[in-house]
Amino acid sequence: MRMGFRTGSMTAVSLLALFSAVPAFAEDVTVTDITAGEGYALTVPSVTATATNLTEAQIRRIFTGDFATSASSLADLDAGEISIPEITVSYEVPSGTGEGVVATTATYRDIVISDVVDGVAGSAVIGATDISSEGITMSLGAMSTGTFDIGALLAMYGLGTPSAGEAFKTVYADFEFAGGTFEGPGFACDIGGAALEEFKARPLKTNFADFIKVMAEVDESSTPSPAVLRAIVDFYADLLTAFESTPMTADGLSCSGSDGKGSDVAFSSGTLEMGGYAPGIYPSIALNGLIIDVTGKEAGNVQLGNFTWKPMDFTGPLEALKSAPAELTEQWFADNWRKLIPAIGGLSLEDLSVDAPDMENAGSRIQASLGVFDLALADYVNGIPSDIGVTTTNLVITVPDDAEGKMLRAMGISTLNLSQNIQLHWDEANKNIVIESIAFDAENLGTIEVSGIIGNATPDLFSADNNLALVASMGLTVKELTFNIDDRGGSALIMAAAAAAEGQDPNVLRVGMAGLAQAMVLGLVGTTPDAMAASEEVAAFIKSKPQVTITLTATDEKGIALPLLMAASENPAALAGQIAIKATASGDARPTDQPLAAPAATDDAPAAESGDGTAATPNDGTESDAQVNKKTLKN
């Protein structure tokens, strides 16, 4: 792999370095039959430069000599036009299997750099690029820029004239890529074009040539020495803060091929949008209009309106590396790995639909759709986000017509439309975790939302010391919790199912459940006036009203400690006197509960199964409907 790295670097810089020293007079120069290579083969049939201050020897040395030396005066280059009809590079790298080598050939055609004054070109074009390797070919169309500052690009890599400045300069502007094709055994792709308005860079603080020498000495079979590791880390840390750009837009990609198992696969996407780079910030990437279509044996379809990977901020990790010891060791990385986690902004998906075979159940399919999923992460502390948001909207799932789906289908539910909203953050000043919302919604069933305050959330909760973080987590307290419940039919199904299983009238069961809930409130909180009133409201919600708000507040302003809550799971009386409660039920009375009907039999429906897997005996009139329903629910 190092051979490929050196070869690619040599090719790239050679294309820039057609202008080494600066002779006294401008003239037209043609150079032919340039060849070079050590571990690779470079051929350049001809180079023509007009109105230039280069000699033939200097042009030839750019491709065959020490580029770092030749690049020293490129910032002062003048040339009317430099034309290279073709450059070919061939090299071999070890195969991924460890057996043999992989041969690769890259050919760059119709290279033209025009109107170069003091190292800044008015335009630059690579007309076409062809790359082939082990039966895979890539053909790329024209790549061009308007302004192209050769000196600024060289300075970014620590080449050319040394510069102590840190100002960002425009390296190139108005970049355009015409697209291309990518083909291999069993597949073919069309690649859309791309455009970028501006790319800026500053000089690196480390020398690129020195870095290449360091990398050449790295033995891939062993761990780099602390000094080498520091050199590698310093280079990439410097590079991550050395450039910035405007946003980039790329056209779609489409591919087709076969999976080799009797199915054809087609893949396509709309635009790819990348935000602008900033020092230490990796931008967002958004892919639009993704479609995967499989025909044949395993036919299926997946569509995604948008996938976005949000920006990543490397500022924190870069500061940690900057303050690290001069010699980096494996132990340092083991002790500080959390500090090296970038602040990832999250991700989102929109308009997802899936219709695919269920590989675990022959003959069944997975059918689902999603409106929006959004994960938002912010305010990282030692690699952990302290502000978290998770939103899911309209996750629609078709209930499978199998053993696992029988219960829901018996309750009249053939699809589930689910949503959720989780929003919480760490209030550092008050040492609280604020739960704005933990909400779950099922269309036509109801919504449950919890909000509240978790206390004693100290900075140790985010400590890189796992033992310290564990102790801090056990010190958390519950100060307040509020439950908002909106019943839109969910309780009716639950009551009907429970009543069917017990052979009862669901309305009678509901009254009993209301009385039980009322007693539980009083047993948990005590017989205070507020508890008595709250128990009445909870009972009213279970009996008839569709909405209820319940707020539990710790009587101690510090909150209820987790050990006490854990003890209450075995003995609820442990919380007596520790909680104040308020509750309010509201809304118009629900309709009267209806018994759960037995599933209707159909000619083509499979026979119902009993609990032991054998076919259930249909009701011959000797069993009540309740008994039949009870068997159905059990199955």
Side-chain angles (χ1 to χ4, degrees):
M1 294 302 290
R2 294 198 304 275
M3 183 185 300
F5 177 74
R6 293 199 304 271
T7 303
S9 302
M10 182 61 189
T11 302
V13 296
S14 293
L15 293 176
L16 303 176
L18 302 171
F19 346 92
S20 55
V22 184
F25 302 102
E27 59 182 9
D28 295 345
V29 178
T30 298
V31 184
T32 60
D33 299 326
I34 300 173
T35 60
E38 181 180 347
Y40 68 97
L42 171 72
T43 60
V44 185
S46 68
V47 176
T48 300
T50 65
T52 184
N53 43 21
L54 297 175
T55 66
E56 176 180 347
Q58 292 163 342
I59 293 176
R60 191 177 297 277
R61 187 166 60 246
I62 290 169
F63 293 97
T64 61
D66 182 355
F67 174 73
T69 301
S70 300
S72 60
S73 58
L74 286 178
D76 300 321
L77 172 73
D78 292 330
E81 180 180 280
I82 297 179
S83 175
I84 310 174
E86 184 174 288
I87 296 177
T88 300
V89 182
S90 299
Y91 57 93
E92 295 180 342
V93 295
S95 68
T97 62
E99 298 180 0
V101 295
V102 175
T104 299
T105 299
T107 302
Y108 307 88
R109 295 186 174 87
D110 302 327
I111 301 162
V112 179
I113 302 175
S114 305
D115 302 324
V116 186
V117 179
D118 292 332
V120 180
S123 65
V125 177
I126 299 177
T129 302
D130 293 316
I131 302 172
S132 62
S133 178
E134 298 294 306
I136 297 175
T137 61
M138 180 181 290
S139 297
L140 304 179
M143 287 179 278
S144 64
T145 72
T147 300
F148 179 32
D149 190 332
I150 302 166
L153 182 60
L154 292 171
M156 175 183 171
Y157 288 103
L159 300 172
T161 303
S163 174
E166 294 190 6
F168 283 77
K169 295 180 66 177
T170 298
V171 176
Y172 55 83
D174 302 323
F175 171 82
E176 292 186 359
F177 167 52
T181 61
F182 181 44
E183 299 181 0
F187 75 91
C189 298
D190 289 323
I191 305 168
L196 175 68
E197 184 177 333
E198 186 177 38
F199 178 84
K200 292 183 175 182
R202 63 157 175 81
L204 287 177
K205 300 172 184 177
T206 52
N207 186 280
F208 185 68
D210 291 342
F211 175 70
I212 294 297
K213 293 177 182 177
V214 170
M215 292 299 295
E217 296 173 0
V218 173
D219 184 351
E220 296 180 1
S221 63
S222 62
T223 302
S225 68
V228 169
L229 196 57
R230 167 52 80 179
I232 295 172
V233 167
D234 283 349
F235 177 80
Y236 283 109
D238 191 15
L239 184 63
L240 277 173
T241 59
F243 56 89
E244 61 186 31
S245 74
T246 58
M248 183 191 77
T249 301
D251 296 333
L253 169 72
S254 63
C255 297
S256 61
S258 173
D259 66 356
K261 300 178 181 179
S263 296
D264 293 326
V265 181
F267 167 96
S268 65
S269 74
T271 58
L272 176 69
E273 300 168 355
M274 178 178 286
Y277 282 93
I281 308 295
Y282 195 89
S284 62
I285 300 175
L287 176 65
N288 300 297
L290 172 67
I291 300 175
I292 302 174
D293 196 29
V294 180
T295 58
K297 185 177 180 181
E298 302 291 349
N301 180 272
V302 176
Q303 298 189 34
L304 179 61
N306 172 271
F307 171 80
T308 297
W309 181 265
K310 299 180 182 181
M312 295 189 294
D313 186 346
F314 287 87
T315 303
L318 291 174
E319 286 297 322
L321 290 169
K322 183 178 179 181
S323 61
E327 292 193 351
L328 296 175
T329 63
E330 289 187 41
Q331 187 59 48
W332 184 89
F333 283 100
D335 294 339
N336 295 274
W337 67 271
R338 283 263 299 276
K339 296 179 181 178
L340 303 180
I341 299 175
I344 302 171
L347 58 88
S348 66
L349 299 90
E350 295 182 11
D351 299 327
L352 171 67
S353 65
V354 178
D355 181 5
D358 185 346
M359 297 304 180
E360 296 182 358
N361 297 289
S364 297
R365 300 188 69 79
I366 297 173
Q367 296 176 317
S369 64
L370 172 67
V372 174
F373 172 80
D374 185 86
L375 172 64
L377 307 173
D379 299 336
Y380 278 69
V381 182
N382 276 338
I384 299 176
S386 66
D387 190 327
I388 299 173
V390 184
T391 302
T392 303
T393 304
N394 299 129
L395 173 60
V396 180
I397 303 171
T398 299
V399 176
D401 191 12
D402 57 16
E404 295 180 357
K406 280 184 179 180
M407 171 66 80
L408 290 173
R409 287 186 174 274
M411 296 166 69
I413 301 173
S414 58
T415 61
L416 294 172
N417 189 338
L418 310 175
S419 298
Q420 71 169 358
N421 181 38
I422 300 174
Q423 305 291 331
L424 51 89
H425 73 274
W426 180 43
D427 177 0
E428 182 178 6
N430 295 304
K431 295 183 175 61
N432 291 327
I433 294 176
V434 180
I435 304 172
E436 289 104 337
S437 175
I438 298 178
F440 299 93
D441 178 90
E443 188 180 59
N444 299 324
L445 294 178
T447 301
I448 298 177
E449 181 181 31
V450 181
S451 59
I453 299 174
I454 306 299
N456 200 33
T458 67
D460 287 344
L461 194 64
F462 301 91
S463 173
D465 184 328
N466 291 334
N467 292 326
L468 192 59
L470 178 60
V471 171
S473 67
M474 293 303 296
L476 293 173
T477 64
V478 178
K479 291 185 174 181
E480 181 179 290
L481 292 176
T482 297
F483 300 84
N484 285 295
I485 304 174
D486 180 14
D487 179 14
R488 299 193 301 274
S491 73
L493 291 173
I494 293 172
M495 291 297 175
E502 298 300 325
Q504 294 187 21
D505 184 316
N507 293 287
V508 174
L509 182 62
R510 185 182 285 276
V511 173
M513 293 294 291
L516 179 60
Q518 191 171 4
M520 288 179 65
V521 170
L522 297 176
L524 183 66
V525 181
T527 56
T528 65
D530 282 347
M532 294 288 288
S535 70
E536 292 287 348
E537 294 295 315
V538 171
F541 164 70
I542 294 177
K543 282 192 283 189
S544 62
K545 293 188 176 182
Q547 289 100 30
V548 68
T549 297
I550 304 170
T551 298
L552 304 174
T553 305
T555 54
D556 184 342
E557 64 178 11
K558 295 180 181 179
I560 302 172
L562 285 184
L564 182 57
L565 289 174
M566 294 170 66
S569 65
E570 298 291 336
N571 178 24
L575 292 178
Q578 302 291 324
I579 300 174
I581 185 170
K582 291 185 179 296
T584 302
S586 61
D588 297 332
R590 300 185 195 86
T592 302
D593 291 324
Q594 300 298 317
L596 184 67
T602 59
D603 293 339
D604 56 352
E609 293 182 354
S610 65
D612 60 3
T614 60
T617 303
N619 187 9
D620 57 3
T622 62
E623 293 182 299
S624 67
D625 287 342
Q627 289 173 310
V628 173
N629 284 333
K630 185 173 182 179
K631 285 185 176 181
T632 301
L633 290 166
K634 181 179 179 182
N635 290 335

